[in-house]
């Protein structure tokens, strides 16, 4: 059964940091590229960062130098360390495979106040 559980979101002031976690089922995680996506109100869901099974990473231009994606293959968990947060980072954050498949988790809300 495919399962994704995101956590770690919250309310933070601009310039602050948060660390998101995503626990995935083995079938979702194993040998697959994983990614973080986000969706702000009124916007489409967008790719934030992705990490291949071997550890190489890619980032959206808007988060380069501020966000770091990582994975723990033993725990089937992917992380997103977010530093220097900006109000425009406010969104619901989701994890999924890359490319995404149809099963999405509930997401975790990140709100950055100015």
């Amino acid at each position: 059964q495919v399962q994704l559980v995101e956590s770690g979101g919250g309310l933070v002031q601009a310039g602050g940091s948060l660390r998101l976690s995503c626990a995935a089922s083995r079938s979702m995680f194993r040998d697959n590229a994983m990614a973080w996506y986000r969706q702000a109100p009124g916007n489409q869901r967008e790719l934030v960062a992705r990490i291949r099974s071997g550890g190489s990473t890619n980032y959206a231009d808007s988060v380069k130098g501020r966000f770091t994606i990582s994975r723990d293959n033993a725990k089937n968990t992917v992380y997103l360390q977010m530093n220097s947060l900006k109000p425009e980072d406010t969104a619901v954050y989701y994890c999924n495979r890359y490319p995404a498949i149809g099963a999405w988790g509930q997401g975790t809300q990140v709100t950055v106040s100015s």
Side-chain angles (χ1 to χ4, degrees):
Q1 183 178 356
V2 173
Q3 187 175 10
L4 295 160
V5 180
E6 300 95 343
S7 62
L11 173 63
V12 64
Q13 288 188 330
S17 297
L18 285 172
R19 188 189 192 213
L20 307 184
S21 298
C22 171
S25 60
R26 178 94 173 120
S27 61
M28 168 65 80
F29 193 89
R30 181 179 55 191
D31 297 328
N32 292 305
M34 296 295 294
W36 284 95
Y37 304 80
R38 67 186 180 187
Q39 187 168 20
N43 291 355
Q44 290 189 334
R45 193 170 292 169
E46 64 175 355
L47 175 68
V48 175
R50 62 178 177 176
I51 184 166
R52 295 174 180 80
S53 58
S56 60
T57 59
N58 295 93
Y59 297 91
D61 288 344
S62 59
V63 307
K64 277 181 183 176
R66 301 188 298 121
F67 290 10
T68 303
I69 188 172
S70 60
R71 63 192 290 161
D72 185 332
N73 291 334
K75 295 182 178 179
N76 298 332
T77 301
V78 61
Y79 304 97
L80 186 67
Q81 178 66 44
M82 305 187 296
N83 299 328
S84 302
L85 282 160
K86 304 176 181 180
E88 51 263 43
D89 294 318
T90 295
V92 179
Y93 284 70
Y94 303 87
C95 68
N96 205 315
R97 285 184 186 173
Y98 181 84
I101 64 172
W104 293 91
Q106 82 288 350
T108 187
Q109 175 72 47
V110 172
T111 303
V112 184
S113 63
S114 57

